[in-house]
Amino acid sequence: LRAPWCGLTLADLQSLIGSDYSSAVWDLMQDESRMASMPADGRGRAQLDRVKPVIGDAIAQRGRLSMRRWIEGTWIRLGGPACVEDRTSLEDAGAFLDLLEESSAGADLQDAQRFLEDVAGLYAKPDVEADESIQLLTIHKAKGLEFDTVIVPAIGKVPRSEESSLLLWL
């Protein structure tokens, strides 16, 4: 619900959920009084009126389609492909959907724990539109990408001793 196709903020979700941690968010979304308690800017910005029927249809279709067709179809109807930044991100989504297909048997996962482990092992692909030139990235942005050579300037440099410690142990 925080994704671009819906646009809720954490504050919007908090006002929707309140202190009810046992109910499904979907059920809370059906409660008009809870929806009315959301801040006006959240109700105006968020596209819940468009998202709710899509999610409702997806819930009704659960078990009737293969896991991949169910998830991918819902993602497409929500506008997921239109929210990706570039072709590489679309291929990354395809890699996830391929893994989902390999890991499912009909409408369910064969082994949920194994699937989570496999998802943790997925890595983003390098930019498919990049040429052979140098790519300058932050370590965070480059995480999971595989390059033949990576240069991290000053990685072996000894820090200055006059700098204060990050943590002070008492």
Side-chain angles (χ1 to χ4, degrees):
L1 297 175
R2 292 193 61 225
W5 57 70
C6 185
L8 290 180
T9 64
L10 287 175
D12 297 334
L13 284 171
Q14 179 59 45
S15 66
L16 176 65
I17 295 167
S19 60
D20 187 348
Y21 301 112
S22 60
S23 297
V25 175
W26 173 250
D27 294 333
L28 298 175
M29 288 170 58
Q30 306 311 307
D31 183 347
E32 291 303 321
S33 64
R34 282 188 182 270
M35 296 298 292
S37 73
M38 285 178 53
D41 70 317
R43 287 192 313 268
R45 174 185 10 81
Q47 298 185 30
L48 282 171
D49 291 339
R50 188 185 64 78
V51 169
K52 282 171 61 172
V54 174
I55 294 174
D57 289 346
I59 290 170
Q61 292 295 319
R62 183 163 182 6
R64 296 180 180 177
L65 301 169
S66 71
M67 181 75 73
R68 180 192 175 128
R69 288 188 63 200
W70 180 56
I71 297 294
E72 186 174 19
T74 303
W75 181 62
I76 290 169
R77 287 189 60 208
L78 287 169
C83 296
V84 297
E85 295 177 4
D86 51 37
R87 201 176 86 198
T88 302
S89 298
L90 197 56
E91 289 190 17
D92 291 339
F96 171 80
L97 292 167
D98 290 343
L99 176 63
L100 186 62
E101 185 172 27
E102 293 167 14
S103 303
S104 61
D108 291 313
L109 291 172
Q110 293 175 15
D111 182 347
Q113 184 60 37
R114 169 74 190 246
F115 176 71
L116 292 176
E117 291 167 6
D118 290 345
V119 167
L122 281 178
Y123 293 101
K125 295 179 181 182
D127 186 352
V128 295
E129 297 170 353
D131 58 16
E132 297 296 320
S133 63
I134 294 174
Q135 292 186 42
L136 184 63
L137 307 167
T138 64
I139 291 174
H140 176 75
K141 180 78 172 174
K143 181 183 175 193
L145 299 176
E146 296 181 12
F147 295 99
D148 294 331
T149 305
V150 175
I151 300 170
V152 182
I155 190 83
K157 185 177 177 184
V158 178
R160 294 180 296 210
S161 61
E162 66 268 10
E163 291 181 5
S164 60
S165 300
L166 182 61
L167 297 174
L168 296 174
W169 299 97
L170 302 177

